[in-house]
Amino acid sequence: MRIHHIGYLVKKLEKAAEEFEKLGYVRLGDVTDDTYRKVDILFLEKDGYAVELVSPNAPDSVVSGLLKTYKNAPYHICYVCEDLDGELERLTGSGYVQIDPPAPAPAIGGRRVCFLMNRFAGMIELLEKED
């Protein structure tokens, strides 16, 4: 698996994007409304590193409760998988807890993603490789 991006949870997406731009990051497209997870997403890149700004857009968003813990900070690492289902099986068999079933991610071209948690490694996201 290789790292695809670092996910940053932010309360105000546009304000956060402006701050990342001051650091030299460039937007990789427009803000995407992920209606399944009830979040707005914006990818930015600098020197080959991608960050994903994630901001809840509804009170019942999957990340609304996380803002109390993370407050404008990184909260997951996303890994691209050659075989998402195989990696999911391998990791859940070795102590990772699956948070949600694999589902399409509109901000990443509809490729499937799945989130897992590990008490020592924190939250990770598995991303299906491009065809």
Side-chain angles (χ1 to χ4, degrees), residues 11 14 17 22-23 42 44 46 51-53 65 70 73 93 96 98 101 112 115 122 127:
K11 189 169 185 177
E14 280 302 322
K22 289 177 187 175
L23 297 169
L42 177 65
L44 298 104
K46 177 180 171 43
V51 295
E52 174 193 37
L53 301 184
Y70 294 101
Y96 282 78
Q98 186 175 343
R112 293 183 311 147
F115 288 86
L127 169 62

Side-chain angles (χ1 to χ4, degrees), residues 68-117:
K68 295 174 187 162
T69 303
Y70 294 101
K71 297 184 183 172
N72 300 319
Y75 77 107
H76 77 265
I77 300 175
C78 178
Y79 297 92
V80 176
C81 304
E82 289 293 318
D83 175 10
L84 185 136
D85 297 314
E87 285 296 334
L88 181 57
E89 183 177 331
R90 183 181 73 80
L91 291 170
T92 56
S94 63
Y96 282 78
V97 176
Q98 186 175 343
I99 297 173
D100 61 353
I108 312 177
R111 289 155 54 193
R112 293 183 311 147
V113 299
C114 180
F115 288 86
L116 298 98
M117 182 66 83

Side-chain angles (χ1 to χ4, degrees), residues 4-5 7 9 28 33 35 38-39 63-64 67 69 85 118 122:
H4 183 269
H5 68 265
L9 185 59
L28 300 175
D33 176 10
T35 56
K38 299 182 183 177
V39 295
V63 298
S64 290
L67 272 175
T69 303
D85 297 314
N118 178 278

